[in-house]
Amino acid sequence: MSEASVTLSDGPGIPKPGRPVSAWRTGWKKFSANRFALAGLCVLVFFLLIAFAAPLIAPFSPSKIDMMVPNLPAGTDHHVLGTDDLGRDIFSRLVYSS
């Protein structure tokens, strides 16, 4: 056998070189094994998506005061959750507050 054809993994008892496991991979394995942690991550991602898409989701400006429609109940006049005492849309305020 020539020296060029001998590798480190040819001999008995010599382990094959491998990639070490990173701390991130170990942490993700432990994190993903916990179902409650994954559920919390899903809720966090959901709120982040809502926060970034707030201008697209909210039908009204959250700070627009309309004294003509104060204290509307939920579901009236295109206000999903109604309005507060200053006529501000509650749904829009909730979306932007996320």
Side-chain angles (χ1 to χ4, degrees):
M1 207 187 261
S2 69
E3 284 186 36
S5 65
V6 177
T7 61
L8 290 176
S9 61
D10 285 345
I14 299 175
K16 292 182 181 181
R19 290 179 35 186
V21 179
S22 71
W24 286 102
R25 183 171 299 233
T26 305
W28 175 249
K29 282 185 179 182
K30 288 183 178 183
F31 184 82
S32 63
N34 188 343
R35 294 171 67 192
F36 291 113
L38 286 177
L41 179 65
C42 289
V43 169
L44 179 67
V45 167
F46 173 74
F47 277 112
L48 285 174
L49 289 175
I50 294 266
F52 284 118
L56 302 173
I57 297 172
F60 299 100
S61 171
S63 60
K64 180 184 175 198
I65 296 175
D66 188 5
M67 293 303 288
M68 299 300 288
V69 289
N71 295 325
L72 283 179
T76 57
D77 198 27
H78 305 292
H79 296 281
V80 178
L81 297 177
T83 60
D84 62 1
D85 57 343
L86 294 176
R88 298 174 295 192
D89 186 57
I90 295 174
F91 176 72
S92 297
R93 293 176 62 81
L94 283 173
V95 168
Y96 271 93
S97 68
S98 68

